[in-house]
Amino acid sequence: MKTHHKSPPRRVLLLPLILLITPLLTACESAEAEFFAELAVDWAVEKGIMSLECKGSGQTDCTYDLNETVLGVYLTGVKIGTAFGRSPEIQAALEAGDVVYDQEQADELAEQGAREGDLSLIDQAIESRPDDWSYHDQRASVLTAQGNLAAADESFAKAESLVQDRIAAGESCYKLQRNLLNNRISALEIQLDKDPSNAELNDRYAGAFEQLNALESGGPASPCGG
């Protein structure tokens, strides 16, 4: 099964991913999925579940091949010393797989809703994962495109509030704010692709970039302070 390293399909990497980071799954935000997928690739190559081949001068054009036999060995527990039945580690991974699958479904709903301007689909994603701020920003961007600016402000504020809650709990302000702003820019770009002349969308887009630049510079205008 050949795939491209730059864009690993999440379902192909699902089992290596869960085995590697089971304790982190419930905290995973949609924007972090690519990062975790890269970790899963490294783990799977190390364990012989995948083989990796890179070409080009910079060794950046990579493909990998899934060894389904080795993966099956892990699933049955033989590789980790339980020839009969599943080990607790495997069982926990399979149970955690439901969490990952639910997140994938929510991501797909939100993305479809953003593309089609269907708020009901984004609302379903939010109902499934209410603490994922990227869905609230997607909702806000659609509302902005539709001219419902008051409701858009509420959704943007909800995304920011969720980030602030995590910061207040001790997580990295820089990491979370960067995640928020990159997701916001991406959400606005989806709407701008459909309506490039929309003034409100352009204003929000420019504002998000200003905040991101301020965050990167670390000056007094940074969302995390100077």
Side-chain angles (χ1 to χ4, degrees), residues 173-186:
C173 178
Y174 174 83
K175 172 195 165 189
L176 293 172
Q177 287 289 350
R178 190 170 184 273
N179 180 292
L180 169 72
L181 292 168
N182 280 323
N183 272 286
R184 181 166 295 177
I185 288 168
S186 296

Side-chain angles (χ1 to χ4, degrees), residues 83-94:
F84 302 99
R86 293 194 181 105
S87 73
E89 181 184 9
I90 292 290
Q91 187 61 41
L94 293 175

Side-chain angles (χ1 to χ4, degrees), residues 79-142:
K79 184 72 174 181
I80 54 177
T82 54
F84 302 99
R86 293 194 181 105
S87 73
E89 181 184 9
I90 292 290
Q91 187 61 41
L94 293 175
E95 291 171 359
D98 290 338
V99 176
V100 176
Y101 181 68
D102 288 346
Q103 180 181 337
E104 287 187 332
Q105 287 187 309
D107 286 350
E108 289 168 3
L109 282 170
E111 289 165 9
Q112 182 182 351
R115 289 193 307 270
E116 298 177 1
D118 189 338
L119 291 170
S120 68
L121 296 178
I122 302 176
D123 287 342
Q124 290 179 51
I126 291 173
E127 183 178 358
S128 174
R129 292 178 56 80
D131 293 335
D132 191 320
W133 54 81
S134 68
Y135 302 156
H136 293 279
D137 268 352
Q138 283 172 306
R139 187 176 192 276
S141 298
V142 170

Side-chain angles (χ1 to χ4, degrees), residues 9-167:
R10 212 177 298 171
R11 284 184 175 81
V12 170
L13 296 177
L14 178 60
L15 288 167
L17 174 59
I18 6 185
L19 286 169
L20 177 66
I21 55 163
T22 297
L24 303 179
L25 288 173
T26 56
C28 180
E29 301 297 339
S30 59
E32 296 169 333
E34 286 301 316
F35 168 72
F36 288 128
E38 291 296 328
L39 289 181
V41 169
D42 293 339
W43 180 88
V45 170
E46 178 185 349
K47 298 298 182 183
I49 293 174
M50 288 181 179
S51 59
L52 181 66
E53 180 181 357
C54 296
K55 300 177 181 178
S57 58
Q59 296 289 292
T60 57
D61 184 13
C62 301
T63 58
Y64 48 84
D65 188 27
L66 178 64
N67 188 328
E68 295 179 2
T69 301
V70 177
L71 179 58
V73 168
Y74 268 87
L75 284 176
T76 58
V78 174
K79 184 72 174 181
I80 54 177
T82 54
F84 302 99
R86 293 194 181 105
S87 73
E89 181 184 9
I90 292 290
Q91 187 61 41
L94 293 175
E95 291 171 359
D98 290 338
V99 176
V100 176
Y101 181 68
D102 288 346
Q103 180 181 337
E104 287 187 332
Q105 287 187 309
D107 286 350
E108 289 168 3
L109 282 170
E111 289 165 9
Q112 182 182 351
R115 289 193 307 270
E116 298 177 1
D118 189 338
L119 291 170
S120 68
L121 296 178
I122 302 176
D123 287 342
Q124 290 179 51
I126 291 173
E127 183 178 358
S128 174
R129 292 178 56 80
D131 293 335
D132 191 320
W133 54 81
S134 68
Y135 302 156
H136 293 279
D137 268 352
Q138 283 172 306
R139 187 176 192 276
S141 298
V142 170
L143 287 165
T144 301
Q146 295 175 350
N148 192 344
L149 302 183
D153 285 341
E154 291 180 5
S155 287
F156 280 128
K158 178 61 177 178
E160 291 161 6
S161 174
L162 289 169
V163 168
Q164 289 299 327
D165 288 344
R166 295 273 291 269
I167 293 171

